[in-house]
Amino acid sequence: MNELIVNRNWWERNWKWLLPSIGILACISVFFIITGNATHRYVSVLAQPALTNNALEIVKKNNRVVEKLGELSPVDFFLLLEGDVTYSNNNTIVALTVGIRGTKGKAKMDILAHKNGLNWNYQKITVRIKKPIKETIIVLE
């Protein structure tokens, strides 16, 4: 009944979960190093859907935009990634470019807004259409 008990060291017992964990953490770290604070900027816009939704409602009331693009669909995450986000003045002013899609085509919507409490006051909204002809429509100035 003398059994030989072999104790393996810590590395031999735990390498199967440690190496993949280190690899995943390295990939996440490289992602945040490459993107910088862009992740924070885009997430902060996604956390405030009223910023893009209210601007889109203003754009939908413009007859020229509806004539060129048709019925506009809501802004989603991938349309947001097509644009750019810049915050200034302690995150109370935002300059945002976001893609918009309609039944007849797509364009870019440029927004300049100032945050007043919980509401956004829009200072400028423009729609830039590339195809079939380059055209810029100033919706709000």
Side-chain angles (χ1 to χ4, degrees):
M1 287 289 223
N2 288 339
E3 294 181 12
L4 183 61
I5 299 175
V6 177
N7 289 332
R8 297 184 314 176
N9 66 21
W10 185 89
W11 176 255
E12 289 175 343
R13 287 180 286 148
N14 297 309
W15 73 271
K16 291 178 185 175
W17 64 267
L18 184 65
L19 284 180
S21 298
I22 290 172
I24 290 170
L25 285 174
C27 290
I28 291 171
S29 298
V30 167
F31 172 77
F32 282 111
I33 289 170
I34 290 173
T35 61
N37 69 347
T39 306
H40 170 70
R41 290 181 293 154
Y42 285 108
V43 169
S44 63
V45 170
L46 284 175
Q48 304 174 42
L51 175 61
T52 55
N53 291 342
N54 292 344
L56 192 63
E57 290 302 318
I58 294 170
V59 169
K60 285 181 180 180
K61 293 177 185 174
N62 187 295
N63 293 333
R64 191 168 163 112
V65 173
V66 172
E67 175 188 317
K68 296 287 184 178
L69 297 177
E71 185 179 338
L72 297 175
S73 62
V75 175
D76 61 5
F77 178 71
F78 296 110
L79 290 173
L80 182 63
L81 288 180
E82 289 179 8
D84 187 35
V85 181
T86 305
Y87 281 96
S88 62
N89 198 18
N90 209 12
N91 290 342
T92 59
I93 297 176
V94 64
L96 170 67
T97 300
V98 63
I100 56 174
R101 285 201 179 114
T103 54
K104 296 180 182 177
K106 59 184 182 175
K108 299 279 186 189
M109 177 172 61
D110 299 320
I111 303 169
L112 181 61
H114 177 50
K115 190 171 189 175
N116 186 8
L118 296 175
N119 298 323
W120 288 96
N121 297 327
Y122 299 98
Q123 296 170 343
K124 187 174 183 181
I125 300 174
T126 58
V127 175
R128 294 180 288 131
I129 303 170
K130 283 188 179 179
K131 295 180 183 177
I133 308 168
K134 284 188 177 182
E135 183 177 358
T136 300
I137 302 170
I138 299 173
V139 177
L140 180 68
E141 191 164 13

